[in-house]
Amino acid sequence: MPKIGMRIIKSSCAVAICFLISLFRSEGIVFYSCIAAVLCIQQDVTNSKRVAINRVKGTLLGGFCGMLVLLVEKSFFPNDALWLRYAIISLMIIPIIYSTVLLKMTTASYISCVVFMSVTVSHGMDINPYLFAFNRIIDTLIGIFVALALNTLHMGTARNKDILFVSDLNHTLLNDDQELSAYTKVKLKQLLEQGANITIATCETPSMFLHKLQGIPFTLPIITMNGAATFDMKKQEYNHCKEIPFETYHSLMEVFKQQHMNCFVHTIIHHMLHVYYGDFQNPVEEDYYHAMRKTPYKTYVYSELPEQHHAIYIHAIHKTAQIHTLYDEIKKLPCFYELHIVIKADELHQEYSSMEIYSKDAGKKQAVDDIMKQYHFEKVYVFGDDLEDLPLMGSATQSFAVQNAKKEILAHASIIPSNNDDGVVQKIAQLFYKKLKG
């Protein structure tokens, strides 16, 4: 059986507080406070605020329109003309809903109509219906503020805000469908809103992962392209780019020309990733181009890299034998020591591999070191699954590997549940709320 979660407990507490407040009020109906409180207790603070704002707007609009209709009825229509009352109430639904459209608050249309009808239908014949309408608004606001106050609390636990949590993305935080599970999404939002310091370290460009992380309020820079740059999700800006020196880049391009091989050269211009490329030499890199050119946050240019711009990442896709020949030629360059090169087998095409070339200063470990220094973190906990994560995991306060990680990684880390079992976010929550020694 599933355990009773904090949302359930907080809903019960919110109702109890509304009842307690009602004991000190001579007016009002506590039922409306309780309903508002239960509806506004959400899985995370962001959703709670969104629902609360909708209810406040809807309550004010519906209450105002209800009092307006009561004023007209009392002043101009006889009390026994029920058919006329019902006709007016029915017709008023149109301007109320239309007003929510004009005010760009369509999500509040439902509650606006509910409040309006509760005032006019149920209490239109009261001795003082205006007082009821006013108290109806106050009751709802009480419930809303009680819910918001409770939802911002994390009951009974400490929070370790001096820890930096760093997770790889594919096969680690994302499940096998290459997306965040519903549970991980909710839990990540809760943790971040409660002050957990979490970031991502990935080999991907923002165009490949931003849609996967949509709605997650990361505040720390995301480490992208294996540490070649960091990306501020809130500002949509790149920071701390590790550039390949001009002379080194031109030496590399000479090797590519000698081997008659194309490559994709990545640079950042005005916080937009630009990718320069030449003639395709094989169908796999052409398919890659057609798949990637449609993604946002990236622009492809059929041209050589302009002289005034630095390359931060070079990507080549060719048959595995050609990639290794290319690597051997690059090793002969005097500037080889200035490079960080990663070779990976293509998961979809057995005969092909890819080569990723960065500055020697680019790397997940270096990027994490920069973030720790900038934000004064004392500890770093790392979650990974790939060989590229090893240097970072080796320098961490503690490192963790999901069960589906490569064998070489499992031997150097504590094992947690797989990426399909929300292992990363569960461990982060455990460490964030745990009372740690020292």
Side-chain angles (χ1 to χ4, degrees), residues 69 72-73 77 83-93 116:
V69 168
V72 172
E73 287 182 351
F77 300 107
W83 65 271
L84 190 56
R85 287 190 67 242
Y86 294 159
I88 293 172
I89 292 171
S90 300
L91 288 173
M92 276 298 295
I93 295 297
F116 169 74

Side-chain angles (χ1 to χ4, degrees), residues 93-105:
I93 295 297
I94 297 173
I96 289 174
I97 296 178
Y98 189 62
S99 296
T100 65
V101 175
L102 292 178
L103 297 172
K104 296 181 179 179
M105 43 182 268

Side-chain angles (χ1 to χ4, degrees), residues 42-255:
Q42 297 291 312
Q43 294 170 319
D44 52 71
V45 177
T46 301
N47 281 334
S48 185
K49 288 180 178 178
R50 176 180 54 79
V51 172
I53 290 171
N54 285 339
R55 284 198 66 83
V56 169
K57 290 178 179 179
T59 299
L60 294 176
L61 177 61
F64 172 78
C65 292
M67 285 191 284
L68 183 64
V69 168
L70 293 179
L71 176 63
V72 172
E73 287 182 351
K74 293 289 184 182
S75 302
F76 300 104
F77 300 107
N79 291 335
D80 57 349
L82 285 179
W83 65 271
L84 190 56
R85 287 190 67 242
Y86 294 159
I88 293 172
I89 292 171
S90 300
L91 288 173
M92 276 298 295
I93 295 297
I94 297 173
I96 289 174
I97 296 178
Y98 189 62
S99 296
T100 65
V101 175
L102 292 178
L103 297 172
K104 296 181 179 179
M105 43 182 268
T106 52
T107 51
S109 60
Y110 165 77
I111 192 61
S112 297
C113 294
V114 169
V115 173
F116 169 74
M117 288 185 285
S118 70
V119 171
T120 55
V121 177
S122 302
H123 297 269
M125 304 306 293
D126 288 359
I127 296 175
N128 191 346
Y130 311 113
L131 180 61
F132 168 79
F134 175 76
N135 280 315
R136 170 72 175 85
I137 294 171
I138 298 300
D139 291 332
T140 300
L141 294 178
I142 288 172
I144 289 170
F145 291 128
V146 167
L148 281 177
L150 278 178
N151 235 26
T152 56
L153 297 176
H154 196 85
M155 300 179 180
T157 57
R159 303 180 191 180
N160 296 302
K161 295 186 178 181
D162 61 334
I163 296 176
L164 172 63
F165 298 99
V166 182
S167 175
D168 194 5
L169 200 56
N170 292 331
H171 310 299
T172 305
L173 189 63
L174 301 182
N175 58 27
D176 285 347
D177 294 326
Q178 296 298 293
E179 60 184 21
L180 296 175
S181 72
Y183 175 84
T184 291
K185 275 187 178 180
V186 170
K187 201 64 181 177
L188 268 179
K189 291 179 70 175
Q190 288 178 346
L191 287 164
L192 288 164
E193 288 168 349
Q194 291 163 12
N197 297 296
I198 306 170
T199 189
I200 304 297
T202 177
C203 63
E204 294 186 345
T205 64
S207 64
M208 298 172 69
F209 66 73
L210 281 179
H211 66 285
K212 302 173 186 177
L213 304 180
Q214 190 172 10
I216 310 300
F218 287 104
T219 55
L220 292 174
I222 302 297
I223 299 167
T224 179
M225 294 177 280
N226 272 329
T230 57
F231 187 79
D232 187 319
M233 288 189 64
K234 187 174 182 180
K235 295 180 180 179
Q236 300 285 287
E237 293 180 355
Y238 287 91
N239 300 299
H240 304 291
C241 299
K242 307 296 185 181
E243 300 168 340
I244 299 173
F246 276 126
E247 296 79 6
T248 302
Y249 168 73
H250 288 300
S251 297
L252 285 170
M253 290 303 100
E254 284 300 318
V255 175

